[in-house]
Amino acid sequence: MSTLLGVLRKRVLAPSLASVGFAERGFPVVHTDATARLEAVPQAVVCGFEWAIEGASLWEIERRLALIEPEQRGFAYEGATMGYSILDAMPGGGSDRTRELLEGPGRPHIFLTYIGIGFAMARLPRPLWKKILPELTGVAYHPVMSWLAVDGYGFDRAYFDTGKWVERQAAPEPYPWAERPGYFPRAFDQGVGRALWFIHGGNPDGVAAAVGRFAEHRRADLWSGAGLAATFAGGSDQVGLARLRRAAGGYQDELGLGAVFAVKARTYSGYVPAHTHLACGGLVDLTVREAQNLADRTERADGDDGPEPPYELWRERIREELRPAAARRAS
């Protein structure tokens, strides 16, 4: 049950559904059925956040989120994780809400719940970040995929402060996430790339132009983020996906990398929508099953404890398998 304090927290902290919409944010998006489905993603996040920031119990959160359609449910779990993370970080919070959510009903959505932690990071001072990632027991992909929290942080900043992070291409100050501050800006840019897909409503030309305004050393991570968003969230048809692939040019392996990770996240959650099948074929010439197998067989290798995070080493192994196919297409 929500308390009066919980209702007040929601009124102060929760954005309205309109405020996260494309028109309200001033994004250059033409309204279509496809962009309406894309716009529903941040709205689902808000719903999950509202329920969690009110202080609803885990039992209640799980049952509310079950009412969200399967295609959008993972995004609602992002919002719930964001809300619980903020509650846990508040003075006097001292709770294990986030851990219990991620070890419990949020487990199938672990890829997206990490992103929700990143959304919370965007609203908390950096000194509180050191305790924001809970210690999880028996949860697959922890802590390897916790870099998605930094990705979520980058997405949030690009989406809500577009002038600074997209139009002026600001770079984030490094932070020692997983004791690797040098990789922090790269994971951040992967989130910015995902945000570009939403900011431009799945318009390949708009995404390509935006990426092209960034410094060259940042573009690979931006393209992988765009590929992940296009595959996981949808928003384009077969013609648009073909345009996106051509626009990526020499970064097609990065675009494909994002698509493969999106497939991995979707299959792990237990629900794969039609647009993920479409994007997987359109961006990497693979079926969903083939992309899942690619992600699974490249997941772990000896030597993953080096200077590069295991997350990036996994990404590199996927790239290595995609590059020969890209070379064959170019020849």
Side-chain angles (χ1 to χ4, degrees), residues 2-12 53-55:
S2 300
T3 64
L4 176 59
L5 179 58
V7 173
L8 290 175
R9 282 197 302 261
K10 184 176 78 169
R11 289 182 65 88
V12 172
I53 204 66
E54 282 182 339

Coordinates of all heavy atoms in Angstrom, one line a residue, residues 2-12 53-55:
S2 N 0.5 2.3 -0.7 CA 1.2 3.5 -0.8 C 1.0 4.3 0.5 O -0.1 4.3 1.0 CB 0.8 4.3 -2.0 OG 1.1 3.6 -3.2
T3 N 2.0 5.0 1.0 CA 1.8 5.9 2.1 C 1.7 7.3 1.6 O 2.0 7.6 0.4 CB 3.1 5.8 3.0 OG1 4.2 6.2 2.3 CG2 3.2 4.3 3.5
L4 N 1.4 8.2 2.5 CA 1.3 9.6 2.2 C 2.7 10.1 1.7 O 2.8 10.8 0.7 CB 0.9 10.5 3.3 CG 0.8 12.0 3.1 CD1 -0.1 12.4 2.0 CD2 0.4 12.7 4.4
L5 N 3.8 9.7 2.4 CA 5.1 10.0 2.0 C 5.4 9.5 0.6 O 6.1 10.2 -0.2 CB 6.1 9.5 3.0 CG 7.6 9.8 2.8 CD1 7.8 11.3 2.7 CD2 8.5 9.1 3.8
G6 N 5.0 8.3 0.4 CA 5.2 7.7 -1.0 C 4.5 8.5 -2.1 O 5.1 8.7 -3.1
V7 N 3.3 8.9 -1.8 CA 2.6 9.7 -2.8 C 3.3 11.1 -3.0 O 3.4 11.5 -4.2 CB 1.1 10.0 -2.3 CG1 0.4 11.0 -3.2 CG2 0.4 8.7 -2.3
L8 N 3.8 11.7 -1.9 CA 4.6 12.9 -2.1 C 5.9 12.7 -2.9 O 6.2 13.5 -3.7 CB 4.9 13.5 -0.7 CG 3.7 14.0 0.1 CD1 4.2 14.4 1.5 CD2 3.1 15.2 -0.6
R9 N 6.6 11.6 -2.6 CA 7.8 11.3 -3.4 C 7.4 11.2 -4.9 O 8.2 11.6 -5.8 CB 8.4 10.0 -2.9 CG 9.2 10.1 -1.6 CD 10.1 8.9 -1.5 NE 9.4 7.6 -1.5 CZ 9.0 7.0 -0.4 NH1 9.3 7.5 0.8 NH2 8.4 5.8 -0.5
K10 N 6.3 10.5 -5.2 CA 5.9 10.3 -6.6 C 5.6 11.7 -7.2 O 6.1 12.0 -8.4 CB 4.7 9.4 -6.7 CG 4.3 9.1 -8.1 CD 3.1 8.2 -8.2 CE 1.8 8.9 -7.9 NZ 0.7 8.0 -8.3
R11 N 4.9 12.6 -6.5 CA 4.6 13.9 -7.1 C 5.8 14.7 -7.3 O 5.9 15.4 -8.3 CB 3.7 14.6 -6.1 CG 2.3 14.0 -6.1 CD 1.4 14.9 -5.2 NE 1.2 16.2 -5.7 CZ 0.2 16.6 -6.5 NH1 -0.6 15.7 -7.0 NH2 0.1 17.8 -6.9
V12 N 6.9 14.6 -6.5 CA 8.1 15.4 -6.6 C 9.0 14.8 -7.6 O 9.6 15.5 -8.4 CB 8.8 15.5 -5.3 CG1 10.1 16.2 -5.4 CG2 7.9 16.3 -4.3
I53 N 8.6 4.1 -6.5 CA 9.0 5.3 -5.6 C 7.9 5.6 -4.6 O 8.2 6.2 -3.5 CB 9.2 6.6 -6.5 CG1 10.2 7.5 -5.8 CG2 7.9 7.2 -6.9 CD1 11.6 7.1 -5.6
E54 N 6.7 5.1 -4.8 CA 5.7 5.2 -3.8 C 6.0 4.3 -2.6 O 5.4 4.5 -1.5 CB 4.3 4.8 -4.3 CG 3.6 5.9 -5.2 CD 2.3 5.4 -5.7 OE1 2.0 4.2 -5.7 OE2 1.5 6.3 -6.0
G55 N 6.9 3.3 -2.8 CA 7.2 2.4 -1.7 C 6.4 1.2 -1.7 O 6.3 0.5 -0.7

